[in-house]
């Protein structure tokens, strides 16, 4: 019998036999090329450790990725599917339970991604950033959620749907390490056709029940914010239960000079 080595990129199920005739059917052969902190993509993948990387190898199979709250720094590796920084992606859905609420990302099958020739093929799953990590926001920042790869511009030829839980009615915008841009366009509907109709690099927003939905053709740091509330004077309550309003002291008003009563002319005796 000849000895040979088979190299494969995915986990496979095979029927095998050894040299003396022992056989095994439906034996799972696990891809040993993955590192300890990597796992292969698939229809039902749940991440359980910080820093895990989901490696997507099949450009046809759908991928469903669940990230529980408390698990951070999860990445998705599509390097095997791209050439010179771009290529078609399979369906990828991400359900991330973050510290600021549920964030769902839906990339439809056949979406072409372009990150430029220097892009490594890594996509950061929804990651909560500090509220002050984005500047130039004209309002009160509620939360900042990065999806993509930092300042690297990732663009898509189909609409990608991002749902941000319990943020309906709030304003939203984005930044990639530069100027902040508010998303002001309202989507005609919450549908794939609406997302696909967006111009290159464009986005729109729409409320879906209690949630905020962004249809976009790029990834960025997305900022949820509200209009700033004007500051009003706060009464200071004294010990007697009443209120004291601090009123600015006005300059004293000068009193007018006293009126001068004219003296009648003296009478001359005849």
């Amino acid at each position: 019998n000849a000895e040979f080595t088979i190299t494969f990129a995915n986990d496979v199920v095979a029927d095998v036999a050894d040299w003396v005739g022992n056989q095994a059917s439906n034996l799972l052969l696990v891809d040993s090329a993955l590192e300890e902190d990597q796992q292969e993509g698939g229809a039902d993948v749940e991440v359980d450790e910080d820093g895990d990387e989901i490696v997507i190898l099949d450009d046809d199979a759908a991928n469903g990725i669940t990230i529980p709250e408390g698990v951070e720094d999860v990445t998705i590796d599509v390097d095997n599917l791209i050439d010179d920084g771009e290529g078609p992606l399979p369906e990828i859905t991400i359900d991330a339970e973050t510290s600021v609420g549920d964030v769902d990302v839906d990339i439809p099958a056949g979406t072409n991604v372009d990150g430029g020739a220097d892009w490594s093929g890594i996509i950061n799953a929804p990651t909560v950033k500090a509220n002050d990590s984005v500047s130039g926001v004209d309002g009160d920042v509620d939360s900042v959620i990065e999806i993509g790869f930092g300042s690297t511009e990732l663009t898509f030829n189909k609409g990608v749907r991002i749902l941000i839980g319990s943020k309906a009615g709030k304003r939203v915008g984005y930044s990639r390490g530069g100027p902040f841009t508010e998303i002001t366009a309202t989507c005609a509907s919450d549908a794939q056709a609406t997302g696909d109709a967006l111009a290159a690099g464009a986005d729109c927003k729409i409320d879906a029940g209690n949630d905020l939905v962004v249809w976009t053709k790029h990834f960025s740091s997305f900022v949820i914010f509200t209009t700033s509330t004007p500051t009003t004077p706060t009464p200071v309550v004294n010990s007697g239960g009443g209120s004291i309003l601090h009123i600015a002291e006005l300059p004293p008003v000068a009193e007018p000079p006293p009126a001068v009563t004219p003296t009648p002319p003296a009478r001359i005796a005849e």
Side-chain angles (χ1 to χ4, degrees):
N1 294 330
E3 181 178 347
F4 57 90
T5 300
I6 299 175
T7 302
F8 52 90
N10 300 296
D11 298 348
V12 296
V13 175
D15 297 333
V16 298
D18 63 18
W19 287 353
V20 295
N22 297 313
Q23 298 182 354
S25 299
N26 296 322
L27 182 67
L28 174 63
L29 304 178
V30 178
D31 173 19
S32 59
L34 296 179
E35 302 292 338
E36 184 177 350
D37 60 350
Q38 294 177 321
Q39 57 179 308
E40 187 176 341
D44 187 15
V45 176
E46 181 165 343
V47 183
D48 54 11
E49 291 188 16
D50 291 354
D52 271 3
E53 182 174 277
I54 310 303
V55 181
I56 297 180
L57 301 169
D58 190 338
D59 60 1
D60 288 325
N63 296 267
I65 301 168
T66 301
I67 306 173
E69 185 174 358
V71 177
E72 302 176 347
D73 301 324
V74 176
T75 58
I76 299 165
D77 185 349
V78 297
D79 184 51
N80 291 279
L81 309 180
I82 63 174
D83 183 23
D84 201 25
E86 68 170 322
L89 300 177
E91 178 183 343
I92 302 174
T93 60
I94 306 170
D95 179 5
E97 299 174 10
T98 75
S99 59
V100 298
D102 236 15
V103 180
D104 298 340
V105 180
D106 296 312
I107 302 175
T111 299
N112 196 78
V113 59
D114 188 347
D118 294 332
W119 177 46
S120 63
I122 297 296
I123 300 173
N124 295 330
T127 303
V128 176
K129 298 292 186 179
N131 284 359
D132 60 0
S133 62
V134 174
S135 60
V137 182
D138 184 19
D140 297 326
V141 176
D142 175 272
S143 50
V144 178
I145 303 165
E146 181 193 332
I147 309 171
F149 193 60
S151 60
T152 299
E153 183 178 21
L154 302 183
T155 59
F156 306 94
N157 69 333
K158 292 186 178 183
V160 174
R161 184 178 188 264
I162 302 172
L163 179 145
I164 306 167
S166 303
K167 304 298 183 183
K170 296 186 184 296
R171 299 164 69 184
V172 62
Y174 65 89
S175 174
R176 277 189 302 272
F180 172 77
T181 302
E182 182 175 0
I183 299 172
T184 56
T186 300
C187 304
S189 64
D190 183 15
Q192 186 64 52
T194 297
D196 291 346
L198 290 168
D203 17 42
C204 64
K205 63 178 181 177
I206 189 171
D207 288 342
N210 293 326
D211 305 325
L212 174 63
V213 171
V214 173
W215 282 94
T216 183
K217 286 192 172 178
H218 66 90
F219 277 164
S220 305
S221 286
F222 292 91
V223 182
I224 315 302
F225 68 105
T226 57
T227 303
S228 298
T229 303
T231 304
T232 55
T234 303
V236 179
V237 180
N238 64 16
S239 58
S243 297
I244 303 173
L245 289 177
H246 294 281
I247 302 174
E249 184 177 350
L250 299 176
V253 178
E255 295 184 4
V260 178
T261 303
T263 304
R267 290 179 177 272
I268 300 174
E270 297 181 355

